[in-house]
Amino acid sequence: DKSKVIRELLLRAVKEKLLELALEKYSKRQVSLERAAELAKLPLADFMVKAAERNIPINYSIDSLEKDFEEALKAK
């Protein structure tokens, strides 16, 4: 029905706006990659894909990669 369509459209618009704001803050280096993903309410990997699609460079150091691998191994 009409109200369902309107709710879905609003939800999509809110998600897109959150993503745009997060991408803007990340590209200006106002927030970290992880924080930007949180702001966009996306998993980190999905946020990284969205940033790449918009040609926003990923500021992800070797140290961060190693830390993430260690944490992933601990989670197993």
Side-chain angles (χ1 to χ4, degrees), residues 58-69:
I58 301 298
N59 305 313
Y60 196 65
S61 69
I62 297 294
D63 290 336
S64 294
L65 178 62
E66 289 174 351
K67 179 182 170 193
D68 288 344
F69 272 125

Side-chain angles (χ1 to χ4, degrees), residues 22-35:
L23 287 167
E24 181 180 341
K25 286 182 177 283
Y26 179 71
S27 68
K28 292 179 179 179
R29 296 184 179 215
Q30 295 173 339
V31 296
S32 68
L33 182 60
E34 184 177 358
R35 180 68 181 132

Side-chain angles (χ1 to χ4, degrees), residues 14-27 30-51 56 58-60 68:
V14 168
K15 286 182 179 183
E16 186 61 31
K17 187 63 175 176
L18 287 173
L19 175 61
E20 292 302 320
L21 290 171
L23 287 167
E24 181 180 341
K25 286 182 177 283
Y26 179 71
S27 68
Q30 295 173 339
V31 296
S32 68
L33 182 60
E34 184 177 358
R35 180 68 181 132
E38 289 172 4
L39 291 172
K41 299 187 186 221
L42 288 174
L44 182 60
D46 291 348
F47 183 80
M48 292 171 77
V49 168
K50 296 292 186 184
I56 296 172
I58 301 298
N59 305 313
Y60 196 65
D68 288 344

